[in-house]
Amino acid sequence: MALVVIGAAGEMCRVAVERYAAVSDAPIVLADLNISALESLAAKLPAGRTSTKQLDLFDKAALSETIQGAALVVLGAGPYMRTSEPVLNACLAAKVPYLDFDDDVQSTEAALNLQKRAKEAGVPCYIGCGASPGMSNVMVMDAVRELDTVETLDICWLVGDERGATGKAVLEHLMHIAAGPCLTWADGKPAMNESWVETTYAPMLGEEGETLLHETAHPEPVTLPRLFPTAKRIRCVGALGPAPFNGIARGLGQAVRRNALSMKEAVDFLFDLTNKDPSTEGLGTLFGEMTAAFRGGDITVKELFQLVGRVSHSLSPWRHALNGMIATIWTGECTTGEVLSFLVNSARGKRVENKGGLLVRAVGLRNGHPATVTKRTAKSGENTFLSRTMGTVTGTATAAFMLLALDDGLSRSGVYCPEDWVEPERFYHALERLGTPKDELVITL
């Protein structure tokens, strides 16, 4: 029985496929609209074990034919608010197991509502099996074992400077979570906050101090209250690095929400900014005046506004991005020098080393006394296996969930989030099976 991977050509899904194929001899069917990218991926995998198929997942007949008899169907095509519904329904109709790394709240809630149907079909549906949600949920279950009661949970993520390796589905997801309503768990009940407004700090990068993180719409505060209904607060917080990127995301997200910018314009702008050489986008010319005016950070906010006005008057996406970065100065997240330095370095094509990772912080009581348990991915950076990029940590975590789901077969039925079915030690062992060094796994602070 073959593993069927839909959306296999995506940046994160490619990692999951490559790392899974390195430790399993099961046949794999790679399906995607982009057949050339599929063939490129298949060429990297062990010969004779993979096949490729061009697939439009919205073609019901073609989708049904592709998944018939599969040992497991993995959905790696996003954004999930559009893709999960047709594939989930097709898997339930075909009675084949399903797994995704859905990070959208709306589609997560829709999947949970299929619990009764999945039970009746005798099919396991594993949702949110990536990094966040996914590995983060497992880390929560690891942390709470050291507490008698749980008062609050913070699920934290940090994505570093990943220019050159970011797909449009990821950027569309970012636009959805950077502004607008954020379903969270506050004061012991569901609540709606504004994304990117509430903040906290967490030691995301070891010796580099604490990172300012922003509350954001993510599935963990929707799924975890099922297990911890008496918790006062469960929230997901995250940040982009370098810090001015948070302003760019917030500024563009707000523009999309108020229809000052279309989603396509915002995503295309971010894709060009993060994936193309600065000279091809005119960044050198655009920031030439800023470069000349930049005096080692010695610039006032008023002067920055004047510069922004001169370079952005006819550039709609840049206007919103720049205004978002200025907002980070008002809030104290960035200095004017940091924003200008970021812009100048971007114009010159210079980027910092990518560092990111996951952290969970559980607060409650242990033996009648207040206690805090913090778990974090141990290492990050360009020389690591697991947390080198958002793509490697998500893809590797997904591959670990794939191994466990295939090991379990049809032993359960229903819709499952990671906290429902995966023991922490079993998951960490699966990461090791995939090649993750032990010293890169989760540590306790």
Side-chain angles (χ1 to χ4, degrees):
M1 296 174 66
L3 170 73
V4 177
V5 184
I6 298 172
E11 291 83 358
M12 298 178 187
C13 204
R14 290 173 68 94
V15 176
V17 170
E18 290 173 2
R19 295 193 168 174
Y20 168 82
V23 300
S24 171
D25 57 4
I28 306 173
V29 177
L30 306 175
D32 201 290
L33 269 176
N34 189 339
I35 193 66
S36 62
L38 283 183
E39 291 171 349
S40 173
L41 173 60
K44 298 180 180 180
L45 304 179
R49 289 195 14 229
T50 62
S51 60
T52 61
K53 179 172 183 177
Q54 189 171 35
L55 173 69
D56 177 356
L57 64 84
F58 298 104
D59 183 333
K60 292 182 66 174
L63 175 61
S64 177
E65 178 186 356
T66 301
I67 66 173
Q68 288 299 320
L72 178 69
V73 173
V74 177
L75 175 60
Y80 283 100
M81 62 186 66
R82 293 204 300 267
T83 61
S84 69
E85 186 271 337
V87 180
L88 250 174
N89 280 314
C91 288
L92 290 174
K95 296 188 176 181
V96 295
Y98 168 92
L99 184 145
D100 67 31
F101 45 99
D102 188 349
D103 53 4
D104 290 323
V105 171
Q106 183 179 5
S107 47
T108 296
E109 291 183 306
L112 289 172
N113 287 333
L114 294 174
Q115 178 70 260
K116 181 180 178 182
R117 185 178 166 197
K119 285 280 188 183
E120 292 173 349
V123 173
C125 299
Y126 303 111
I127 63 173
C129 296
S132 174
M135 184 172 175
S136 60
N137 305 57
V138 176
M139 291 167 64
V140 165
M141 301 308 292
D142 190 5
V144 299
R145 293 184 302 182
E146 301 180 31
L147 297 173
D148 299 324
T149 63
V150 176
E151 295 291 322
T152 67
L153 293 171
D154 285 335
I155 299 97
C156 311
W157 55 264
L158 174 65
V159 176
D161 192 348
E162 299 197 2
R163 281 175 278 188
T166 307
K168 289 190 175 181
V170 173
L171 297 173
E172 184 171 339
H173 171 67
L174 176 61
M175 288 297 90
H176 279 288
I177 68 173
C182 169
L183 181 59
T184 188
W185 186 262
D187 297 322
K189 60 184 181 297
M192 197 70 73
N193 289 347
E194 169 68 21
S195 288
W196 234 256
V197 174
E198 297 292 328
T199 60
T200 189
Y201 284 88
M204 301 299 297
L205 296 174
E207 302 300 320
E208 298 186 23
E210 297 208 331
T211 302
L212 178 65
L213 305 167
H214 309 263
E215 185 176 33
T216 187
H218 243 231
E220 292 97 327
V222 174
T223 69
L224 287 167
R226 297 171 308 131
L227 272 63
F228 307 104
T230 61
K232 292 181 180 178
R233 187 190 70 226
I234 301 175
R235 63 180 175 180
C236 182
V237 292
L240 308 173
F245 264 127
N246 295 298
I248 292 176
R250 178 71 172 161
L252 293 173
Q254 288 178 319
V256 170
R257 287 285 177 180
R258 64 175 186 267
N259 290 326
L261 198 64
S262 72
M263 177 64 78
K264 183 179 185 306
E265 287 176 310
V267 170
D268 287 347
F269 169 79
L270 281 172
F271 184 81
D272 290 344
L273 177 65
T274 56
N275 288 280
K276 292 188 177 181
D277 184 89
S279 62
T280 64
E281 291 307 300
L283 283 176
T285 302
L286 180 63
F287 294 120
E289 189 173 355
M290 283 191 175
T291 305
F294 184 51
R295 302 185 296 277
D298 182 20
I299 185 170
T300 68
V301 174
K302 180 179 179 180
E303 290 173 320
L304 178 59
F305 268 116
Q306 292 171 343
L307 289 173
V308 168
R310 273 181 245 152
V311 301
S312 67
H313 62 280
S314 62
L315 301 166
S316 178
W318 266 119
R319 181 171 67 252
H320 302 299
L322 292 169
N323 285 335
M325 281 188 279
I326 289 172
T328 67
I329 297 172
W330 295 127
T331 60
E333 181 177 355
C334 298
T335 66
T336 54
E338 287 171 333
V339 169
L340 265 295
S341 180
F342 168 78
L343 292 172
V344 171
N345 287 336
S346 294
R348 294 172 177 168
K350 182 180 178 181
R351 54 184 289 270
V352 300
E353 180 185 359
N354 174 39
K355 292 184 179 181
L358 301 172
L359 179 148
V360 302
R361 182 166 52 207
V363 178
L365 295 178
R366 181 170 55 213
N367 299 324
H369 300 284
T372 300
V373 181
T374 303
K375 304 279 184 177
R376 189 186 68 204
T377 45
K379 294 182 178 180
S380 67
E382 295 175 359
N383 296 319
T384 59
F385 179 87
L386 178 64
S387 298
R388 184 167 64 248
T389 66
M390 177 175 57
T392 59
V393 68
T394 302
T396 308
T398 298
F401 285 114
M402 289 160 56
L403 287 173
L404 299 180
L406 287 164
D407 286 347
D408 292 349
L410 294 173
S411 62
R412 60 178 65 89
S413 62
V415 179
Y416 295 89
C417 302
E419 63 267 28
D420 300 324
W421 68 287
V422 178
E423 290 292 329
E425 286 83 5
R426 190 172 176 233
F427 179 77
Y428 299 150
H429 178 62
L431 290 177
E432 289 189 79
R433 287 168 61 188
L434 294 165
T436 304
K438 190 178 289 288
D439 66 355
E440 291 186 22
L441 294 176
V442 174
I443 59 174
T444 302
L445 300 188

